[in-house]
């Protein structure tokens, strides 16, 4: 099979799958059919539209290729009448999304290099293409974007796929880079979901950690300090003894201490 045709099939399949995922989010929030179209289109086309607007070289591909708009809005329309909550349909959507993650990461990075950008901007465009559609969908639903943490790794795989695509295309093997990106993301995305691979969700404070190695001055709890002060006022001998302990080198109190 022609590699370009295969990549084209994966690309359009990812558009349809993300359109259905957007429709599932709209159904979860009880939106009307306009909400289905908006979330389906944002989920399926948001990353590519944002990438093409950054490049500003031509019309966005989503507006010039009929498969994109028809695939996204057609999937949203189907999702309005049918649910895809069955175990196997959910698995198929997850697989299609994993395939599209690699395809879109590699496509964004490739377009960045073709436009004359360096490695890091090209990798950035690859990640934007792959993850920003889902992020826009989550923001429209007033949810925390899944790539911000607490979910299986997703954007991390987009970074890896975009990086290896940039390397392969730099040495003239763009087709191999596209294939590797799709295989890598599909395999490791499914494993990450299965094994619950997530990044740490708490930030570190190295300054506090460094200070924690120094010995700290012992402080009594507030209620205990109150009891000590109350005992000092009630018993003169205890008060004197406390002052001696607080000033062990004071000669005036040293003799009194020895008299005990």
């Amino acid at each position: 099979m022609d590699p370009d045709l295969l990549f084209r099939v994966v690309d359009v399949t990812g558009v349809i799958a993300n359109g259905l995922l957007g429709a599932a989010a709209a159904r979860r929030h009880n939106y009307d059919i306009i909400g289905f179209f908006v979330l389906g289109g944002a989920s399926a086309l948001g990353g590519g539209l944002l990438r093409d607007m950054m490049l500003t070289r031509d019309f966005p591909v989503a507006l010039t290729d009929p498969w994109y708009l028809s695939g996204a809005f057609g999937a949203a329309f189907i999702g309005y009448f049918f649910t895809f909550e069955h175990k196997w349909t959910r698995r198929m959507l997850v697989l299609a999304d994993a395939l599209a993650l690699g395809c879109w990461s590699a496509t964004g990075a490739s377009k960045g290099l073709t436009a004359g950008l360096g490695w890091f901007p090209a990798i950035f465009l690859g990640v934007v293409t792959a993850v920003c559609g889902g992020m826009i969908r989550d923001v429209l639903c007033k949810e925390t974007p899944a790539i911000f943490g607490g979910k299986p790794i997703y954007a991390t795989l987009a970074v890896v796929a975009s990086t290896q695509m940039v390397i392969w295309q730099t040495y003239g093997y763009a087709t191999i880079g596209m294939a590797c990106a799709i295989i890598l993301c599909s395999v490791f995305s499914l494993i990450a979901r299965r094994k619950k691979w997530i990044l740490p969700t708490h930030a570190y404070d190295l300054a506090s950690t460094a200070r924690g190695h120094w010995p700290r001055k012992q402080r009594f709890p507030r209620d205990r300090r109150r009891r000590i002060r109350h005992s000092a006022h009630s018993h003169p001998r205890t008060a004197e003894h406390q002052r001696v302990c607080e000033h062990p080198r004071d000669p005036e109190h040293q003799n009194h201490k020895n008299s005990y």
Side-chain angles (χ1 to χ4, degrees):
M1 181 181 288
D2 185 11
D4 293 334
L5 178 60
L6 180 61
F7 299 151
R8 174 71 168 170
V9 170
V10 172
D11 187 18
V12 175
T13 302
V15 169
I16 296 173
N18 276 273
L20 292 175
L21 291 175
R27 181 179 294 275
R28 188 170 62 250
H29 290 274
N30 298 319
Y31 291 166
D32 60 14
I33 192 169
I34 300 301
F36 275 73
F37 284 136
V38 170
L39 290 185
S43 180
L45 307 175
L49 285 171
L50 187 58
R51 175 204 63 212
D52 292 340
M53 286 189 291
M54 287 182 179
L55 292 175
T56 62
R57 293 176 63 109
D58 204 348
F59 291 109
V61 178
L63 301 181
T64 59
D65 190 332
W67 280 98
Y68 286 98
L69 285 177
S70 59
F73 291 129
F77 184 75
I78 293 173
Y80 183 76
F81 292 100
F82 300 96
T83 61
F84 294 87
E85 299 299 330
H86 190 270
K87 179 177 67 174
W88 287 105
T89 55
R90 293 292 299 176
R91 289 180 176 178
M92 293 303 296
L93 288 178
V94 168
L95 176 60
D97 182 52
L99 292 171
L101 176 67
C103 181
W104 292 349
S105 299
T107 300
S110 176
K111 287 196 173 186
L113 287 180
T114 304
L117 298 176
W119 279 30
F120 288 108
I123 293 171
F124 173 72
L125 283 179
V127 176
V128 166
T129 307
V131 307
C132 279
M135 188 171 66
I136 294 172
R137 177 197 64 218
D138 294 339
V139 171
L140 291 175
C141 292
K142 297 181 180 180
E143 297 177 354
T144 301
I147 65 171
F148 286 177
K151 299 292 181 65
I153 55 174
Y154 194 83
T156 306
L157 296 176
V159 173
V160 175
S162 301
T163 302
Q164 64 88 33
M165 179 63 190
V166 166
I167 296 174
W168 281 110
Q169 184 166 336
T170 301
Y171 291 99
Y173 300 99
T175 303
I176 296 178
M178 180 72 74
C180 290
I182 294 174
I183 295 173
L184 183 147
C185 285
S186 59
V187 171
F188 283 96
S189 179
L190 296 177
I191 294 176
R193 288 176 179 270
R194 181 79 175 182
K195 300 294 185 179
K196 300 293 188 298
W197 290 350
I198 62 175
L199 295 178
T201 55
H202 63 278
Y204 295 97
D205 188 355
L206 297 181
S208 298
T209 304
R211 289 196 301 267
H213 293 293
W214 294 92
R216 297 182 177 180
K217 181 179 179 181
Q218 184 178 4
R219 295 182 62 86
F220 294 109
R222 182 174 298 178
D223 57 341
R224 187 176 177 186
R225 293 200 299 269
R226 288 176 180 174
R227 289 198 301 269
I228 291 175
R229 288 197 298 268
H230 177 72
S231 176
H233 290 296
S234 303
H235 306 284
R237 189 171 183 271
T238 306
E240 184 65 17
H241 179 71
Q242 183 180 355
R243 287 194 296 270
V244 170
C245 293
E246 291 176 353
H247 307 281
R249 297 186 179 182
D250 192 346
E252 180 180 355
H253 298 288
Q254 190 68 29
N255 294 332
H256 188 78
K257 179 181 177 182
N258 294 334
S259 65
Y260 286 161

